[in-house]
């Protein structure tokens, strides 16, 4: 079972466990999906799953992995890798189900006229593959050429929180490799957007560089406000050294301390002026 997990995760568990500050690398083992579950999903949605994604579900019905970083003696979750199960591969679209009757749907908010971009109307069938920990959604996007025709060969797109689409890959296996190589770092999907990563995400990228990370891609402007922290030094225990105060040498015998007030405001008592 250990070798199976290493093959499924491509060995990133060992990479994370050997990284400084990383704790609680957790991988949730899932049972394989039954073939009839995949067939039922395809018949229900009128789509054919690509072979690489179908083979993935026949190995494990979804994927879930997380890892923490210990800061100030309290672990916080940093990395998260999720792929929805076949039952959670739900369609995204313009339905008003479980909402107010007059509430706008995603199709109503879709104002992009670019035909190359996915749409929430009848032109595409969109299914959520990865919830991205609330930072967006990774979706399987099918193009609908004719109503009632079985859809094949979906692409994988990233939908950000502003409802803008960004293309990632043509195949699931390529996305799966990207997912593992980026170690589930926060907001890593924004690498594929025109506006890029947030400063916080860049900081995590700088500390725990993904396997595909290229340091030459960081511009001088990014380097100017991203702290180059060394995790090996951050997570070491630091013993504070007590401060020592220097003592002034004693004054010679017979001398008195000068009153500062007397130097600033000299007294004029006893001085007369002659005209």
């Amino acid at each position: 079972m250990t070798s199976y997990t290493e093959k499924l995760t491509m060995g990133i568990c060992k990479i994370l466990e050997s990284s400084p500050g990383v704790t609680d690398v957790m991988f949730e083992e899932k049972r394989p999906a039954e073939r009839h579950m995949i067939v039922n999903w395809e018949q229900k949605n009128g789509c054919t799953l690509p072979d690489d994604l179908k083979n993935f579900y026949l190995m494990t019905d979804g994927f879930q992995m997380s890892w923490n970083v210990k800061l100030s003696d309290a672990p916080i979750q940093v990395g998260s890798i999720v792929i929805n199960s076949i039952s959670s591969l739900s369609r995204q679209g313009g339905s008003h189900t479980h909402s107010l009757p007059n509430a706008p749907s995603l199709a109503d908010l879709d104002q992009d006229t670019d035909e190359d971009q996915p749409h929430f109307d009848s032109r595409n069938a969109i299914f959520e593959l990865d919830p991205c920990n609330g930072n967006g959604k990774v979706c399987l996007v099918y193009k609908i050429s004719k109503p009632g025709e079985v859809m094949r060969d979906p692409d994988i797109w990233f939908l950000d929180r502003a409802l803008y689409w960004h293309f990632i890959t043509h195949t699931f296996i390529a996305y799966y490799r990207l997912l593992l190589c980026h170690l589930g770092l926060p907001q890593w999907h924004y690498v594929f957007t025109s506006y890029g990563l947030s400063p916080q995400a860049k900081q995590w990228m700088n500390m725990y560089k993904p396997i595909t990370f290229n340091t030459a891609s960081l511009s001088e402007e990014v380097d100017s406000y991203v702290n180059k922290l060394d995790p090996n030094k951050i997570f070491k225990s630091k013993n504070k050294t007590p401060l020592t105060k220097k003592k002034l040498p004693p004054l010679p015998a017979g001398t008195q301390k000068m009153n500062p007030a007397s130097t600033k405001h000299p007294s004029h008592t006893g001085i007369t002026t002659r005209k």
Side-chain angles (χ1 to χ4, degrees), residues 2-15:
T2 303
S3 61
Y4 168 78
T5 303
E6 290 179 358
K7 290 180 180 179
L8 192 61
T9 60
M10 297 174 63
I12 66 170
C13 290
K14 291 185 177 180
I15 296 176

Side-chain angles (χ1 to χ4, degrees), residues 182 185 190-191 195-210 212-229:
H182 283 86
L185 286 165
Y190 283 86
V191 171
Y195 30 88
L197 298 168
S198 65
Q200 182 182 10
K202 289 174 184 175
Q203 191 66 75
W204 287 119
M205 285 274 187
N206 190 53
M207 291 180 63
Y208 299 100
K209 294 179 175 60
T212 60
F213 189 76
N214 183 12
T215 55
S217 61
L218 289 177
S219 62
E220 294 181 358
E221 181 181 357
V222 173
D223 290 336
S224 62
Y225 61 85
V226 173
N227 296 326
K228 295 184 177 180
L229 303 178

Side-chain angles (χ1 to χ4, degrees), residues 86-104:
I86 186 69
S87 60
S88 300
L89 195 62
S90 57
R91 184 164 183 172
Q92 311 292 302
S95 175
H96 290 280
T97 306
H98 306 298
S99 63
L100 297 175
N102 297 326

Side-chain angles (χ1 to χ4, degrees), residues 30-195:
K30 297 179 179 291
R31 293 180 176 271
E34 301 290 339
R35 288 188 178 272
H36 69 85
M37 298 173 62
I38 298 176
V39 174
N40 291 341
W41 186 93
E42 292 179 334
Q43 291 177 349
K44 175 184 176 181
N45 295 286
C47 304
T48 300
L49 286 176
D51 291 338
D52 52 3
L53 181 55
K54 192 180 301 184
N55 293 332
F56 174 81
Y57 280 131
L58 291 174
M59 292 178 61
T60 173
D61 189 12
F63 189 99
Q64 187 167 355
M65 180 178 174
S66 63
W67 51 277
N68 301 338
V69 170
K70 191 174 183 180
L71 294 176
S72 300
D73 297 329
I76 61 170
Q77 181 175 316
V78 174
S80 177
I81 303 176
V82 175
I83 294 176
N84 286 338
S85 63
I86 186 69
S87 60
S88 300
L89 195 62
S90 57
R91 184 164 183 172
Q92 311 292 302
S95 175
H96 290 280
T97 306
H98 306 298
S99 63
L100 297 175
N102 297 326
S105 64
L106 291 175
D108 298 328
L109 300 175
D110 190 356
Q111 301 294 330
D112 197 347
T113 58
D114 189 357
E115 291 298 329
D116 294 332
Q117 297 282 330
H119 299 274
F120 290 106
D121 53 19
S122 59
R123 288 172 285 183
N124 295 104
I126 302 171
F127 301 91
E128 181 185 297
L129 186 65
D130 180 358
C132 301
N133 203 25
N135 294 312
K137 292 182 179 182
V138 172
C139 300
L140 284 176
V141 179
Y142 291 84
K143 286 186 178 181
I144 302 177
S145 55
K146 295 179 182 179
E149 184 178 0
V150 177
M151 295 169 284
R152 305 176 185 273
D153 302 326
D155 293 328
I156 296 182
W157 291 71
F158 173 61
L159 178 67
D160 64 20
R161 297 188 64 178
L163 299 181
Y164 287 104
W165 289 101
H166 311 275
F167 176 75
I168 299 183
T169 63
H170 289 292
T171 61
F172 169 76
I173 190 64
Y175 172 74
Y176 183 69
R177 289 170 179 166
L178 286 172
L179 183 63
L180 295 181
C181 290
H182 283 86
L183 308 178
L185 286 165
Q187 304 175 14
W188 72 266
H189 302 87
Y190 283 86
V191 171
F192 296 89
T193 66
S194 58
Y195 30 88

